[in-house]
Amino acid sequence: MVSGANDSQTPAIVSLAAGGVAGGIEAFTSYPLEFAKTRVQLRSQKGIPTPKNPFLVVTQVYKNEGIRALYKGCGALVVGSIAKDGVRFLFFDQIKQSFADPQTGTLSPLRNLFAGMTAGVVASITAVTPTERIKTALIDDARTEKRFRSGLHATSVIWKEHGLLGLYRGFVGTTLKQASATAFRMGTYNILKDFETKRQIQQNTATNFANGSVAGVVTTLATQPFDVIKTRSQSAHGASTVEAVKSVLLDYGVRGFWKGTSMRLGRTVFSGGILFTSYEAAVKVIQPLYDGLGRKEGVGAV
């Protein structure tokens, strides 16, 4: 589990709640960089090239459209991240507890990656694909037709025009991204943490943040093509996975599959540190409350 051998019996409800809190904090604080990355990955408007520098994208949008524009689609991402990270921390922790070495509470690197991959697939099905679809559609629509008034309105319009499948547009790309990203992010974080635990390296906010940042770098470099395909599939009008792949190759060639890498790196290094630091802190707050409630009501751990 994420918190190390000593916490191997963290109840499922604690993993779910702490993951949700961490996901919401991470999504909100890093959203402007996510916004910039998505803008770059979408097809450029004719005659209006999109800068490669994420901070320049943020600056231009702020000057031309105001601060609210930088948070277009943020609500959908925050809601999705609360659900996504709650689910994937829950499943990752439960899978890790099942396969961990009973003596040390740790997993082999391969099993760490497998646990993360499984958690990513579940998260994509239950939360990530529809909320990412709404977020991406809102960002794309804001620079073109401007027909979506809010996340709820976008959801309603897409549902009326395309049904449930419209909300799951880009499911293949999103699931590939989530499976691989969660495998690398949570796998790398836990490999580093297990390594430190065995060598009795003290775990604190600094080490949590550093481990999360390293995990973010590994995740970005390994999974960027899936992220680009997902973004193209989930534009305002949508596209199939095959159409998305073709459009990237047509626009930029093979190098296009790493479009937005610098922007995503800037976000994942920052957000990876925030996510795992927030999770560890949330567990420390929620676990005693849960234990106290359990003792008061005579309820055992889930």
Side-chain angles (χ1 to χ4, degrees):
M1 92 116 243
V2 174
S3 298
N6 294 335
D7 299 321
S8 61
Q9 298 304 312
T10 299
I13 190 65
V14 175
S15 295
L16 182 67
V21 170
I25 292 172
E26 177 266 331
F28 183 80
T29 54
S30 64
Y31 190 76
L33 288 173
E34 172 68 16
F35 177 94
K37 182 267 300 181
T38 303
R39 273 269 175 110
V40 167
Q41 291 176 339
L42 289 164
R43 276 192 148 168
S44 298
Q45 295 170 271
K46 289 184 178 179
I48 310 177
T50 304
K52 294 181 180 180
N53 186 320
F55 298 102
L56 187 56
V57 174
V58 170
T59 300
Q60 285 186 354
V61 173
Y62 173 72
K63 285 182 178 179
N64 297 332
E65 303 172 48
I67 188 68
R68 290 183 64 182
L70 288 173
Y71 279 86
K72 191 78 172 179
C74 181
L77 185 67
V78 169
V79 170
S81 293
I82 291 172
K84 170 190 72 177
D85 287 306
V87 167
R88 65 181 182 180
F89 272 107
L90 166 64
F91 275 85
F92 185 87
D93 282 357
Q94 298 307 304
I95 292 167
K96 186 169 182 183
Q97 287 176 24
S98 299
F99 291 100
D101 185 309
Q103 300 299 319
T104 64
T106 61
L107 285 180
S108 67
L110 191 60
R111 286 188 174 184
N112 261 311
L113 293 175
F114 174 74
M117 186 179 297
T118 305
V121 171
V122 175
S124 178
I125 295 170
T126 57
V128 180
T129 300
T131 53
E132 282 282 331
R133 165 70 162 126
I134 298 304
K135 178 214 74 176
T136 305
L138 282 167
I139 292 174
D140 189 23
D141 177 73
R143 66 185 187 138
T144 52
E145 298 178 59
K146 295 182 173 62
R147 64 177 184 143
F148 297 148
R149 296 191 298 270
S150 65
L152 275 177
H153 181 245
T155 303
S156 175
V157 171
I158 291 171
W159 179 276
K160 288 178 182 177
E161 293 179 353
H162 305 288
L164 180 63
L165 291 178
L167 294 175
Y168 274 83
R169 180 82 76 175
F171 173 73
V172 173
T174 303
T175 302
L176 286 172
K177 179 206 167 186
Q178 282 301 311
S180 56
T182 306
F184 282 106
R185 175 175 268 196
M186 303 191 84
T188 300
Y189 180 86
N190 280 274
I191 288 168
L192 291 171
K193 189 154 192 179
D194 289 345
F195 175 84
E196 293 163 355
T197 300
K198 289 177 181 178
R199 284 153 184 78
Q200 298 183 329
I201 297 174
Q202 184 179 2
Q203 296 297 300
N204 52 38
T205 300
T207 53
N208 292 338
F209 195 94
N211 291 345
S213 296
V214 172
V217 172
V218 173
T219 300
T220 298
L221 297 177
T223 66
Q224 187 65 14
F226 298 135
D227 191 59
V228 174
I229 293 168
K230 174 198 74 67
T231 298
R232 285 291 180 96
S233 296
Q234 295 180 326
S235 61
H237 293 286
S240 68
T241 300
V242 173
E243 290 169 343
V245 171
K246 286 182 178 178
S247 72
V248 174
L249 288 171
L250 183 64
D251 289 348
Y252 306 110
V254 175
R255 292 178 63 183
F257 290 110
W258 275 267
K259 194 81 170 171
T261 297
S262 60
M263 297 190 183
R264 191 168 167 228
L265 268 176
R267 178 178 182 265
T268 53
V269 169
F270 177 60
S271 67
I274 289 176
L275 178 69
F276 288 105
T277 303
S278 299
Y279 177 80
E280 303 283 4
V283 168
K284 290 178 181 177
V285 172
I286 297 171
Q287 179 80 60
L289 294 175
Y290 176 85
D291 291 343
L293 182 64
R295 284 194 295 269
K296 183 178 179 180
E297 298 182 357
V299 178
V302 176

